[in-house]
């Protein structure tokens, strides 16, 4: 990672320097050979932090070629461990746009020339890069230099990105996509195709041939893509179905600049996620899978202010564009500096800073336990028997179900002040589905295991073996906030094995809606009749630890309580809502009170469900964080506990009513039959 960051910084600095130098008027006088009208004048140079890259550390001779200032394409592999790729994870490739034979206005013109396969020069200044595509380079050359390594990395399971930047009109879109007509019209000449269409054509060809050549491996591939546009600080979905037949690129905002008649006025990000998995399972029921991501970023190019003159009206669009590019530059700088901070923390931790260690462990532990609880909750929802809500089939009250429900409610009731006990009970071995962190069901092998991206936290945990200290921190924190308890019965979560995944049924996959990697948002969806409730956890905010710690227990608790409600509701025929005879199982014409009791039960259960839904939605919609949310959650939990207590009383009444029926051996019908 350190190497990656260092390279990122070095390469970004190099390319910025190259671009700055390329726009320098000083360079214009150097050579009149390679005139480029579109770059007739440029802003004064603001040579980046460094000067010529020639005097910097040596680079690998990976992609030697020519040089260019206008368009820089950085191919990036963002992996910490990159044994399969070469030394530098970030590469800078420069492509020079061919000069056009337009008349010039007499202003100074300047050029960029390739001096060696990995060096460009502007005037008397030289810049080292990783690859150069000169003005004679074809689209195929660009693909060979930039696209092919991306495909190989992606198929090997690495994420790769291609980012194109440069001044307006310098050929970024052309390099990335090619002329629009060439992409849309299949009959057109494919030699103009840019890197993106070539990458996918080659990728799909390779996938197909890999499947055909080794059918025994039974490898399946799935490619998913998104196409987003950032325009005026708004993000638009270019594949949004209501927009012109998913044409994608043709939906992009285009305008005219002084440099380019059809200038892209927005940044676009095209992402493709490639998943490959083997259909065969090993003896332990695991199959291998691999996921990688290819990202193409085509940045909008800024106009040339000097060319346009001081009187040029700087539009809102242009302001946003420059602002976003400037922020991107800052981000690159921050990322480049970040490793030093990420290193200092490590040194502090290793040097025995116990407070930091406790805090780190606490955060890791809390997050891990939250994830664990979430996993249990989701697993529970998946192992519940399917209830046909709309079924007209007559259903019977099962005494055992009622017993089980009462037990659960008693547990909930007795722990209504704090959820810690309930969490413990749920993870205990009292017949509930989770014991020692392992779901106890007959369908155990089929249960999905949800892996979240917890690697940084796990790293923290590895460095903090002092469980006792951490538990103390945990205990003191518990008093002041609603958080996941440190339960001794929770088994530690194992490190996720990213390259292999457990067997997951399609249906189960659908049920797991984006388990959170970072902060979460609760979204509640209710099935018809408010009887079942699924809680989806999505990642949307920026503070994963806080949100997961505070919301996960509530999620779990509400899930369980609502399952119980659903059981009660579904166990009682909706239309009749009467008590069934324990002997003949037919509806009993009981007196008014008994019927009322059953109806009341339904109403209470329904209210609890609705209340939970409404409260959760409130939580979801709430902008406030911190103590306000904690207070809301606490109030919600108390309210739920009170309602469950009420429900438990009603269930008791129902059972008592059943026992006190006129004839415990059966209803009037039964007696008549027996007589
Ligand atoms: N290598 C090239 N060979 C031939 N034509 C090119 C080349 N590069 C760019 N062009 C042409 O130059 C014009 C401008 O290119 P393009 O639109 O790709 O620039 P851009 O950098 O994306 O500009 P903007 O940032 O304004 O969108 C287009 O007409 C394109 O066809």
């Amino acid at each position: 990672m350190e190497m990656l960051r260092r390279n990122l910084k070095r390469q970004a600095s190099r390319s910025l320097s190259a671009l700055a130098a390329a726009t320098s008027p000083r360079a214009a006088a150097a050579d009149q050979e390679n005139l480029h009208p579109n770059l007739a004048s440029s802003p004064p140079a603001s040579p980046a932090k460094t000067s010529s890259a020639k005097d910097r550390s040596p680079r690998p001779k990976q992609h030697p070629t020519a040089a260019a200032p206008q368009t820089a394409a950085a191919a990036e592999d963002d992996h910490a461990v990159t044994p399969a790729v070469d030394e530098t994870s970030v590469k800078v490739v420069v492509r020079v746009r061919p000069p056009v034979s337009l008349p010039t206005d007499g202003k100074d013109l300047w050029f960029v020339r390739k001096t060696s396969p990995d060096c460009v020069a502007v005037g008397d200044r030289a810049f080292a890069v990783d690859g150069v595509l000169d003005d004679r380079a074809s689209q195929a050359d660009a693909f060979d230099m930039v696209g092919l390594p991306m495909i190989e990395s992606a198929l090997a399971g690495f994420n790769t990105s291609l980012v194109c930047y440069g001044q307006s009109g310098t050929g970024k879109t052309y390099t990335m996509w090619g002329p629009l007509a060439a992409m849309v019209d299949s009959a057109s000449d494919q030699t103009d195709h840019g890197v993106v269409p070539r990458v996918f054509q080659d990728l799909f060809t390779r996938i197909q041939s890999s499947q055909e050549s080794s059918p025994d491996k039974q490898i399946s591939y799935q490619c998913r893509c998104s196409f987003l546009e950032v325009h005026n600080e708004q993000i638009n979905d270019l594949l949004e179905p209501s927009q012109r037949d998913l044409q994608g690129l043709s939906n992009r905002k285009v305008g005219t600049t002084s440099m380019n008649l059809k200038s892209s006025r927005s940044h676009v990000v095209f992402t493709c996620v490639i998943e490959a998995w083997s259909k065969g399972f090993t003896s332990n029921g695991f199959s291998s899978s691999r996921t990688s991501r290819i990202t193409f970023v085509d940045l909008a190019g800024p106009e040339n202010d000097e060319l346009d003159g001081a009187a040029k009206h700087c539009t809102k669009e242009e302001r946003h564009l420059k602002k976003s590019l400037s922020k991107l530059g800052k981000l690159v700088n921050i990322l480049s500096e970040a490793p030093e901070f990420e290193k200092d923390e490590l040194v502090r931790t290793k040097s025995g800073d116990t407070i930091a260690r406790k805090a780190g462990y606490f955060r890791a532990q809390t997050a891990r336990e939250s994830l664990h609880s979430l996993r249990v909750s989701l697993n529970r929802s998946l192992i519940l028997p399917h209830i046909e809500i709309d079924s007209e089939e007559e259903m019977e009250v099962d005494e055992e179900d009622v017993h089980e429900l009462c037990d659960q409610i008693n547990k909930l009731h007795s722990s209504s002040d704090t959820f810690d006990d309930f969490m413990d009970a749920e993870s205990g071995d009292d017949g509930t589905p989770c014991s020692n962190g392992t779901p106890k069901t007959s369908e155990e092998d089929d249960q999905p295991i949800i892996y979240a991206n917890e690697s940084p936290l796990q790293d923290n945990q590895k460095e903090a073996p002092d469980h006792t200290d951490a538990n103390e921190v945990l205990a003191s924190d518990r008093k002041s906030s609603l958080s996941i308890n440190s339960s001794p019965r929770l088994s530690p979560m194992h490190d996720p094995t990213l390259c292999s995944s457990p067997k997951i049924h399609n249906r189960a996959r659908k049920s797991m809606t984006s388990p959170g990697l970072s902060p979460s948002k609760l979204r509640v969806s209710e099935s018809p009749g408010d009887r079942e409730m699924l809680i989806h956890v999505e990642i949307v905010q920026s503070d994963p630890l806080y949100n997961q710690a505070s919301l996960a227990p509530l999620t779990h608790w509400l899930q369980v309580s609502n399952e119980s409600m659903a059981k009660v509701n579904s166990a009682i025929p909706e239309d009749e809502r009467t008590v069934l005879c324990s002997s003949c199982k037919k509806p009993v014409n009981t007196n008014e009170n008994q019927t009322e009791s059953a109806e009341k039960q339904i109403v209470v259960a329904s209210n609890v469900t609705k209340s939970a839904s409404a409260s959760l939605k409130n939580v979801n919609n709430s902008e406030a964080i911190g103590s306000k949310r904690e207070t809301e959650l606490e109030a919600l939990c108390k309210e739920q506990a009170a309602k469950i207590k009420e429900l438990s009383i009603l269930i008791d009444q129902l059972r008592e009513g059943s026992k006190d029926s006129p004839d415990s051996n059966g209803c009037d019908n039964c007696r008549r039959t027996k007589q």
Side-chain angles (χ1 to χ4, degrees):
M1 181 61 84
E2 184 65 24
M3 173 70 82
L4 166 67
R5 294 284 158 79
R6 213 178 307 132
N7 284 329
L8 175 63
K9 183 179 179 181
R10 194 177 64 198
Q11 299 291 9
S13 169
R14 258 187 209 145
S15 53
L16 285 172
S17 180
L19 287 172
T23 56
S24 168
R26 193 160 68 87
D31 195 329
Q32 296 292 318
E33 231 175 69
N34 212 5
L35 299 183
H36 197 312
N38 274 354
L39 296 170
S41 68
S42 306
S46 52
K49 297 174 186 170
T50 52
S51 56
S52 167
K54 267 292 179 196
D55 29 11
R56 284 200 215 102
S57 55
R59 288 160 297 84
K61 308 280 183 184
Q62 271 300 314
H63 298 300
T65 315
Q70 296 108 336
T71 302
E76 170 196 349
D77 272 319
D78 44 14
H79 290 273
V81 183
T82 54
V85 296
D86 42 47
E87 191 191 334
T88 49
S89 295
V90 179
K91 296 190 191 334
V92 176
V93 174
V94 175
R95 183 173 192 182
V96 183
R97 207 196 88 171
V100 290
S101 54
L102 293 175
T104 63
D105 57 3
K107 285 186 180 180
D108 284 339
L109 300 174
W110 46 276
F111 74 102
V112 177
R113 63 186 188 275
K114 171 184 173 181
T115 55
S116 76
D118 56 357
C119 184
V120 294
V122 181
D124 57 355
R125 296 181 66 187
F127 299 90
V129 289
D130 293 304
V132 181
L133 293 161
D134 67 12
D135 58 345
R136 287 162 301 181
S138 66
Q139 295 285 67
D141 294 335
F143 168 71
D144 289 345
M145 183 176 288
V146 175
L148 274 179
M150 293 181 76
I151 297 171
E152 276 150 19
S153 293
L155 288 175
F158 295 103
N159 297 340
T160 71
S161 305
L162 172 65
V163 181
C164 277
Y165 64 92
Q167 198 171 288
S168 173
T170 50
K172 300 180 296 294
T173 305
Y174 179 84
T175 301
M176 189 81 98
W177 310 95
L180 190 59
M183 290 187 63
V184 177
D185 182 7
S186 55
S188 74
D189 187 1
Q190 297 196 352
T191 53
D192 270 346
H193 278 185
V195 172
V196 178
R198 285 170 190 266
V199 161
F200 286 105
Q201 194 171 24
D202 190 271
L203 181 72
F204 293 143
T205 306
R206 288 185 190 216
I207 286 175
Q208 194 177 358
S209 61
S210 126
Q211 286 179 318
E212 285 169 2
S213 62
S214 38
D216 49 314
K217 286 189 185 165
Q218 289 190 295
I219 300 175
S220 291
Y221 289 87
Q222 186 185 45
C223 296
R224 291 176 286 129
C225 63
S226 68
F227 201 0
L228 302 178
E229 172 192 60
V230 182
H231 180 250
N232 282 348
E233 298 188 347
Q234 302 280 328
I235 298 176
N236 306 317
D237 185 351
L238 291 178
L239 298 182
E240 209 272 313
S242 65
Q243 295 194 28
R244 288 180 272 168
D245 299 332
L246 303 181
Q247 291 288 319
L249 202 59
S250 64
N251 292 333
R252 189 180 184 184
K253 306 283 181 306
V254 176
T256 299
T257 68
S258 54
M259 319 285 285
N260 190 357
L261 284 177
K262 287 187 180 173
S263 173
S264 310
R265 298 290 79 204
S266 62
H267 312 303
V268 289
V269 181
F270 185 87
T271 307
C272 179
V273 177
I274 305 154
E275 283 178 274
W277 68 93
S278 162
K279 285 180 189 162
F281 292 100
T282 58
S283 55
N284 62 6
F286 282 71
S287 65
S288 65
S289 69
R290 197 160 49 202
T291 303
S292 55
R293 179 185 294 259
I294 300 183
T295 308
F296 296 97
V297 183
D298 181 9
L299 297 170
E303 290 196 64
N304 186 325
D305 290 340
E306 199 170 87
L307 181 69
D308 298 336
K312 179 182 175 297
H313 173 62
C314 189
T315 60
K316 178 181 159 195
E317 186 181 70
E318 190 69 11
R319 278 199 306 276
H320 283 310
L321 198 155
K322 286 180 176 164
K323 193 171 146 194
S324 59
L325 289 173
S326 151
K327 285 192 173 173
L328 180 64
K330 284 180 186 163
L331 182 67
V332 170
N333 286 340
I334 289 169
L335 284 175
S336 305
E337 301 301 333
E340 293 306 314
F341 171 74
E342 281 181 353
K343 198 173 149 191
D344 289 351
E345 206 167 34
L346 196 64
V347 169
R348 264 205 309 279
T349 306
K350 282 186 176 165
S351 67
D353 184 340
T354 49
I355 296 174
R357 196 173 71 223
K358 280 180 186 175
Y361 178 75
F362 168 68
R363 287 198 301 271
Q365 183 77 356
T366 304
R368 285 161 65 81
E369 287 170 3
S370 300
L371 289 170
H372 179 86
S373 301
L374 179 62
R375 192 173 74 177
V376 171
S377 299
L378 289 170
N379 279 345
R380 285 180 62 91
S381 73
L382 294 171
I383 60 175
L384 278 179
H386 179 64
I387 299 171
E388 282 292 343
I389 301 295
D390 298 329
S391 167
E392 291 182 3
E393 193 183 325
E394 187 174 315
M395 297 181 77
E396 298 175 355
V397 174
D398 186 338
E399 268 300 299
E400 278 185 19
D401 277 352
V402 177
H403 272 299
E404 193 188 318
L405 177 61
C406 286
D407 284 346
Q408 261 187 334
I409 288 174
N410 283 339
K411 274 179 213 150
L412 284 170
H413 182 194
S414 63
S415 58
S416 58
D417 289 338
T418 168
F419 293 99
D420 296 342
D421 294 343
F422 172 70
M423 296 299 289
D424 285 347
E426 279 301 298
S427 62
D429 51 1
D430 57 356
T432 49
C434 179
S435 173
N436 292 328
T438 309
K440 293 199 298 189
T441 73
S442 58
E443 300 169 33
E444 194 171 21
D445 290 341
D446 287 339
Q447 295 314 306
I449 298 171
I450 300 164
Y451 289 136
N453 185 355
E454 53 187 332
S455 49
L457 302 176
Q458 285 174 341
D459 287 348
N460 281 343
Q461 192 190 25
K462 279 176 197 156
E463 288 156 19
D466 189 347
H467 288 235
T468 315
D469 289 348
N471 287 339
E472 279 168 19
V473 176
L474 219 58
S476 65
D477 192 80
R478 196 184 301 154
K479 289 172 193 162
S480 57
S481 68
L482 179 66
S483 66
I484 292 246
N485 193 18
S486 169
S487 162
R489 271 175 284 181
L490 283 175
S491 68
M493 287 179 72
H494 298 293
D495 289 351
T497 308
L498 295 178
C499 59
S500 82
S501 61
K503 181 180 159 190
I504 302 177
H505 290 318
N506 284 340
R507 201 171 146 201
R509 278 168 176 260
K510 281 179 190 163
S511 302
M512 296 187 297
T513 306
S514 304
L517 308 183
S518 47
S520 37
K521 172 177 87 170
L522 285 179
R523 186 173 61 199
V524 178
S525 64
E526 294 168 44
S527 64
D530 281 352
R531 286 195 178 178
E532 265 185 292
M533 179 185 287
L534 291 179
I535 298 177
H536 303 269
V537 179
E538 292 183 350
I539 312 153
V540 286
Q541 292 169 10
S542 58
D543 183 354
L545 299 172
Y546 175 80
N547 286 302
Q548 287 190 354
S550 56
L551 295 184
L554 176 65
T555 309
H556 185 188
W557 185 75
L558 285 174
Q559 174 78 23
V560 175
S561 58
N562 281 297
E563 285 163 8
S564 305
M565 303 304 172
K567 268 192 168 183
V568 173
N569 282 338
S570 59
I572 298 175
E574 191 172 21
D575 296 329
E576 298 169 10
R577 293 184 181 175
T578 58
V579 176
L580 300 181
C581 170
S582 60
S583 176
C584 69
K585 309 290 185 192
K586 289 183 179 167
V588 179
N589 287 328
T590 55
N591 60 35
E592 283 292 312
N593 289 341
Q594 283 173 316
T595 308
E596 242 178 58
S597 172
E599 282 176 354
K600 196 171 176 188
Q601 179 177 344
I602 294 285
V603 170
V604 170
S606 175
N607 279 347
V608 169
T609 309
K610 282 177 178 166
S611 165
S613 167
S615 305
L616 270 175
K617 279 171 182 164
N618 285 341
V619 171
N620 183 27
N621 292 332
S622 173
E623 291 289 316
I625 55 170
S627 59
K628 190 180 171 200
R629 179 164 287 193
E630 286 177 16
T631 312
E632 281 176 11
L633 291 172
E634 239 175 300
L636 171 62
C637 293
K638 280 183 180 161
E639 186 192 336
Q640 297 296 304
K643 285 181 176 168
I644 283 178
K645 186 177 174 184
E646 194 181 342
L647 176 62
S648 117
I649 293 168
L650 287 168
I651 289 177
D652 284 347
Q653 284 175 358
L654 177 65
R655 294 181 62 235
E656 288 304 316
S658 171
K659 280 181 195 162
D660 295 344
S661 61
D663 184 345
S664 58
N665 291 323
C667 62
D668 289 348
N669 280 339
C670 293
R671 280 209 308 277
R672 272 198 292 276
T673 310
K674 281 175 191 166
Q675 282 166 7

